[in-house]
Amino acid sequence: MRILFCTDTFPPQLNGVSVVTAAMVTGLRSRGWECGVMAPAYGPAYSPAARSVRPEPTMIPHFPVRAWSWPPYPEVRLAWPSRQRVGALMDTFRPDVVHCATELLVGRAGLLEATARGIPVCTTYHTDFSRYCDAYGVPFLRPLVRRWIARFHRRATRTLVPSPTAQRDLSTLRVTGTHVWGGGIDAEQFHPRHYSLLTRHRYALGSAFTFLFVGRLAPEKNVELLLDAFARLQMARPTHPVRLLIAGTGPSEAALRARAGAGVTFLGAVDRATDLPALYASTDAFVFASATETLGLVLLEAMASGLPVIACQAGGVADYLEDERNGLAFAPGHVDGCVRAMTRVMEDESLRERVRSGARTTADAMSCTRELDRLDAMLRDLVTSPVSDPTRRDRWRLLPAT
């Protein structure tokens, strides 16, 4: 079986979508698939932190698309492949199924060319970009973005969604053929046994109760709320040593550094193989304020590492975050709620240990091995299923949004 991945992000660019897509490639290859990847071209100096998630390039056909950095967010690569080139690639590679991991230009080109050839297409709905419109100050674009998302996924033979909440979101857009598939978590790579005194010494944590954030430093992640909550926590408990570590990079980094007070350390990009597992396991709690997640991969990684998670019970996170069982929840945008949760996890040891145990149980139940087996079976079924009329699905501009 052959599968061609068409994606606008792939390692060495590091984010949730690229990590999950790379895991799909690696997992399917180990299950007998021949995989090809069409993705933006990345320069040689690109994020060394992604080495551990990128499949060995000699092991898969990689078809780079010329791309340019987006000035507001240089790590994002904008690629504009010609349909002629994409079509020629498909005629050469001859995939049995095409997987479009993103709704942007590389994903769209793959979708159009595959449907024109009657090749079954599987898409993944990783991100509700319409919710980003408010965070980036362009709420008037939200209806347009929702129409784009709807029209893209309506054309697919099957759409994978990371959570029941995301599935309901697409249902409101009249997208059918959706299947919940979250990618899973490697509960061996992220595990409490990676606790390291050396890691705590490296960041001079001492006996301080240490909160951790891992993720993209961008408006939709609302890291500003975490900084404000941490500052209030410090003022309320001046005799309690506390720290906040922030791992990640992004367009908001400079502004966040300027906003941060004492006790906050920015770590930049952290290597997922050599440093991140120990970083999770060696801190005391994980904090996350985004309300736009369809899944929240970093929360699952923190749970697998045995960390108490403090997060918004919103979006896809609400499907597995259970207040006081595997984490502590606060309302989106509610700084005081975040402060209360941080205070409770610091001061109540029995609550902290109960939540640690529940978090690890949640992660164990979301095994990546099981999820990749399910993906393999779904795609094999897709290859043998009849494909609906590609001419009807090709009416990109005529489908209404709702």
Side-chain angles (χ1 to χ4, degrees):
M1 293 286 188
R2 289 184 179 178
I3 181 170
L4 177 65
F5 287 82
C6 299
T7 176
D8 291 86
T9 180
F10 198 71
Q13 186 177 14
L14 196 58
N15 54 57
V17 178
S18 67
V19 168
V20 170
T21 305
M24 293 171 78
V25 172
T26 301
L28 290 177
R29 283 194 67 258
S30 69
R31 288 160 174 80
W33 287 77
E34 183 179 347
C35 302
V37 177
M38 181 173 66
Y42 296 99
Y46 216 85
S47 182
R51 290 192 304 265
S52 60
V53 298
R54 183 180 178 89
E56 180 58 43
T58 60
M59 303 295 288
I60 59 168
H62 185 219
F63 309 104
V65 178
R66 187 180 179 188
W68 299 263
S69 291
W70 185 37
Y73 194 168
E75 289 186 8
V76 173
R77 302 285 288 175
L78 299 177
W80 197 308
S82 70
R83 284 191 59 178
Q84 182 179 9
R85 179 170 184 263
V86 176
L89 168 60
M90 288 190 184
D91 292 339
T92 301
F93 187 68
R94 298 174 64 84
D96 298 293
V97 61
V98 170
H99 181 81
C100 299
T102 55
E103 299 94 342
L104 301 179
L105 295 174
V106 176
R108 179 179 182 272
L111 180 74
L112 293 174
E113 288 304 309
T115 54
R117 287 162 172 75
I119 302 171
V121 177
C122 179
T123 60
T124 303
Y125 176 60
H126 287 285
T127 308
D128 183 358
F129 288 108
S130 69
R131 293 184 180 177
Y132 286 16
C133 294
D134 291 337
Y136 284 88
V138 287
F140 57 90
L141 290 180
R142 188 166 185 171
L144 178 64
V145 174
R146 284 179 66 80
R147 283 196 293 272
W148 180 275
I149 290 172
R151 292 171 181 177
F152 183 89
H153 292 291
R154 285 174 185 166
R155 302 163 62 82
T157 317
R158 182 166 298 171
T159 296
L160 306 179
V161 294
S163 63
T165 294
Q167 188 175 41
R168 289 191 293 272
D169 287 345
L170 286 189
S171 179
T172 64
L173 298 177
R174 302 209 310 272
V175 176
T176 59
T178 59
H179 294 258
V180 176
W181 184 82
I185 182 71
D186 188 338
E188 293 303 310
Q189 179 184 9
F190 299 101
H191 194 281
R193 67 167 171 267
H194 296 303
Y195 175 87
S196 166
L197 285 174
L198 182 61
T199 297
R200 290 192 67 89
H201 178 72
R202 176 182 179 183
Y203 299 115
L205 301 180
S207 63
F209 192 96
T210 303
F211 296 93
L212 172 68
F213 167 85
V214 177
R216 189 169 60 253
L217 303 185
E220 71 276 6
K221 300 300 182 183
N222 203 11
V223 182
E224 295 85 353
L225 183 148
L226 301 180
L227 293 177
D228 293 347
F230 182 73
R232 293 189 193 183
L233 181 71
Q234 286 179 303
M235 287 191 295
R237 286 160 178 74
T239 62
H240 291 68
V242 290
R243 294 284 301 278
L244 172 61
L245 303 183
I246 296 178
T249 61
S252 299
E253 183 173 354
L256 292 171
R257 285 179 177 272
R259 186 173 184 144
V264 180
T265 302
F266 289 82
L267 307 182
V270 176
D271 191 291
R272 288 182 60 82
T274 60
D275 297 326
L276 189 57
L279 181 63
Y280 278 124
S282 305
T283 51
D284 299 297
F286 188 81
V287 286
F288 200 72
S290 171
T292 65
E293 305 301 308
T294 56
L295 178 65
L297 181 63
V298 291
L299 271 76
L300 290 174
E301 292 172 351
M303 286 183 173
S305 302
L307 281 185
V309 165
I310 298 169
C312 298
Q313 204 166 29
V317 175
D319 290 316
Y320 60 86
L321 177 63
E322 300 179 46
D323 192 35
E324 298 194 13
R325 192 191 76 81
N326 61 7
L328 294 178
F330 65 93
H334 203 288
V335 178
D336 288 339
C338 185
V339 174
R340 284 195 294 271
M342 294 170 79
T343 302
R344 290 186 66 197
V345 82
M346 280 181 60
E347 297 183 346
D348 190 336
E349 184 176 356
S350 64
L351 171 65
R352 190 163 65 244
E353 293 307 311
R354 182 171 74 250
V355 168
R356 284 182 188 275
S357 176
R360 180 65 195 177
T361 299
T362 298
D364 283 338
M366 302 178 74
S367 159
C368 61
T369 299
R370 185 186 66 178
E371 288 297 281
L372 287 167
D373 286 343
R374 290 182 58 229
L375 177 66
D376 177 37
M378 283 190 291
L379 291 175
R380 290 180 186 276
D381 178 67
L382 190 63
V383 170
T384 59
S385 300
V387 178
S388 59
D389 179 10
T391 303
R392 179 181 62 80
R393 293 202 314 272
D394 203 40
R395 295 172 185 166
W396 182 272
R397 297 180 181 177
L398 300 182
L399 289 170
T402 58

